[in-house]
Amino acid sequence: MFEAFTNQPIRLIGEDGSRTQPFELDLGVDELLQIHRDMIRSRVCDERLIPILRQGKTSFYAQSTGMEATQIGIAWGTRKKHDWYWPYYRDNGLILTLGMPLKRWISQLLGSNDDVCKGRQMPQHFSDPENHIASICSAIGSHIAPAAGTAIAQKYLGTDEITICTFGEGATSEGDWHAGVNMASANKAPCLFICENNQYAISLNVRDQTNSKNIAVKGHAYGIPGFYVDGQDVLAVRAVVKQAAEYIRAGNGSVLIECLTYRIGTHSSSDDDSRYRSKEEVESWRAQDPLVRFERFLEKEGILPAREEIEAYYGSVLAEFEEALSTSDASGYPTWEILFDDVYSDLPDHLAQQAIYVREENL
């Protein structure tokens, strides 16, 4: 049983892959290897999207390399297709592990005809109703209150579903964050708030945006447990999330978890990270690669696949990516003809008239 409000991040695996404390592993070999594959898949897709951005096939992308342990750990600690998720725009590993089809994600990034929103949403603002993933909003912290509302509805309906709401540490300085967490706490709503603290809100370091010693301690203000976890340790994240989810499902109200991690890439496609952090800092975190740490753990457990097998999996993910990209691109791109679609079941007369005008102008 993990305790809340620890001074140091909760950790199960050390940098060298050794167990930092005795613990009973409730995952079989197949499950551990699937977690490994999920981390690789997230990394490969993230790295492959950079050249896609530079080729002009999409106009915006938020990288997640370095945050795989946090995002895959969250997915493995909750109930896929059962619980509901309000993620943020960098949750690439989370949505893929929850089951969102790669083609759907890429179609959204490209804004092609295969995109469910037909290019109307900003790139990287995905959603996936079949996997209970709500749509992204760029306005930081604006999804916290809707997530709290989802959780209050779950409590009202008496289901054993919970709501998982993720965000960066920058969101915790927004008024919407405080309003949403307070609303969930006051209603004892089944909501799991998870801060993916990658230490930079665009260019602002976490030390310059809050005087709190960490984010987890903010749970005190709302009377809910706050857990501080090593976000580079996939087993620690998964274990704490699982414990918190069970606590919430038992009717005890909301929980806050902080996963201390780091984004290796830039904030987005539109910033120069060399202006606000040093190369040495980035390299020091690159050396703490969560994927490498987990591979060291698997090796010590005697179950790490042969390097040839791992490389073959990398290749299969790349092939899957290229197939999804090719199919999405080949579906074509929306034209002006969709301007009047998907809002009204029966188009009002004044819009129908406008549609005629636009059509005549484009003939």
Side-chain angles (χ1 to χ4, degrees):
M1 180 69 75
F2 302 103
E3 295 185 359
F5 304 117
T6 53
N7 289 322
Q8 298 297 321
I10 297 168
R11 174 184 285 192
L12 295 177
I13 306 173
E15 289 293 343
D16 65 351
S18 299
R19 298 185 184 217
T20 58
Q21 56 181 290
F23 65 90
E24 184 176 348
L25 193 57
D26 59 345
L27 293 166
V29 172
D30 289 344
E31 292 168 309
L32 291 169
L33 295 181
Q34 185 58 52
I35 289 174
H36 181 226
R37 288 192 289 271
D38 288 342
M39 295 177 76
I40 291 174
R41 189 166 180 249
S42 175
R43 176 72 57 88
V44 170
C45 292
D46 188 64
E47 292 178 346
R48 185 65 185 91
L49 275 162
I50 303 306
I52 300 302
L53 173 72
R54 291 173 179 161
Q55 291 168 9
K57 290 184 177 295
T58 187
S59 58
F60 179 85
Y61 181 62
Q63 300 175 56
S64 60
T65 291
M67 301 174 66
E68 293 88 354
T70 289
Q71 297 180 358
I72 279 68
I74 293 170
W76 275 81
T78 52
R79 296 184 186 176
K80 303 172 187 175
K81 295 184 182 292
H82 180 79
D83 296 329
W84 285 80
Y85 301 82
W86 285 83
Y88 88 128
Y89 50 77
R90 203 182 302 281
D91 273 326
N92 309 323
L94 173 61
I95 61 164
L96 288 175
T97 307
L98 289 176
M100 182 172 176
L102 183 55
K103 179 171 170 288
R104 174 170 289 185
W105 181 34
I106 292 177
S107 296
Q108 201 285 320
L109 280 159
L110 269 57
S112 67
N113 281 332
D114 279 347
D115 173 25
V116 292
C117 291
K118 299 178 183 175
R120 295 186 177 98
Q121 258 278 34
M122 183 177 169
Q124 195 66 359
H125 287 51
F126 41 76
S127 62
D128 187 13
E130 288 82 357
N131 287 290
H132 296 189
I133 300 171
S135 182
I136 302 297
C137 182
S138 272
I140 300 301
S142 62
H143 65 306
I144 310 298
T150 302
I152 291 170
Q154 289 167 331
K155 179 182 178 183
Y156 176 79
L157 293 171
T159 73
D160 70 341
E161 302 167 356
I162 68 170
T163 295
I164 295 92
C165 178
T166 62
F167 42 84
E169 74 288 349
T172 67
S173 293
E174 292 283 351
D176 284 349
W177 186 85
H178 295 276
V181 175
N182 183 63
M183 184 166 63
S185 171
N187 285 279
K188 285 194 173 297
C191 198
L192 177 53
F193 297 103
I194 303 178
C195 175
E196 300 180 27
N197 179 5
N198 65 24
Q199 307 183 49
Y200 284 94
I202 305 184
S203 58
L204 185 67
N205 188 275
V206 65
R207 295 187 299 274
D208 298 320
Q209 67 153 304
T210 179
N211 200 34
S212 299
K213 66 178 182 180
N214 56 46
I215 303 300
V217 74
K218 296 187 179 187
H220 278 301
Y222 303 100
I224 61 176
F227 292 91
Y228 186 32
V229 188
D230 182 347
Q232 306 297 89
D233 179 349
V234 66
L235 292 187
V237 174
R238 180 254 178 191
V240 174
V241 167
K242 185 170 182 283
Q243 175 182 304
E246 290 171 355
Y247 172 90
I248 293 169
R249 232 179 285 280
N252 295 302
S254 303
V255 171
L256 171 64
I257 295 175
E258 174 189 2
C259 299
L260 181 63
T261 182
Y262 193 82
R263 64 167 162 83
I264 296 298
T266 58
H267 166 75
S268 71
S269 49
S270 54
D271 81 318
D272 176 6
D273 66 321
S274 67
R275 300 185 65 177
Y276 57 82
R277 62 182 184 178
S278 68
K279 182 179 179 182
E280 290 74 19
E281 178 186 305
V282 176
E283 291 307 312
S284 74
W285 278 92
R286 195 186 299 277
Q288 302 173 55
D289 190 327
L291 180 54
V292 172
R293 191 197 297 192
F294 191 54
E295 289 186 345
R296 289 171 178 159
F297 170 78
L298 296 178
E299 186 173 25
K300 287 185 179 295
E301 297 290 314
I303 58 173
L304 180 68
R307 185 50 56 183
E308 293 78 10
E309 187 177 338
I310 294 175
E311 292 300 327
Y313 184 68
Y314 272 89
S316 70
V317 176
L318 272 175
E320 178 194 10
F321 184 96
E322 297 306 327
E323 171 65 23
L325 176 64
S326 175
T327 306
S328 175
D329 194 34
S331 72
Y333 292 85
T335 67
W336 62 269
E337 292 175 309
I338 70 158
L339 280 174
F340 300 92
D341 296 343
D342 306 323
V343 177
Y344 297 98
S345 58
D346 298 312
L347 200 63
D349 290 342
H350 69 288
L351 291 179
Q353 190 63 46
Q354 289 180 24
I356 292 172
Y357 292 153
V358 173
R359 185 171 295 108
E360 290 174 348
E361 289 177 352
N362 285 277
L363 285 176

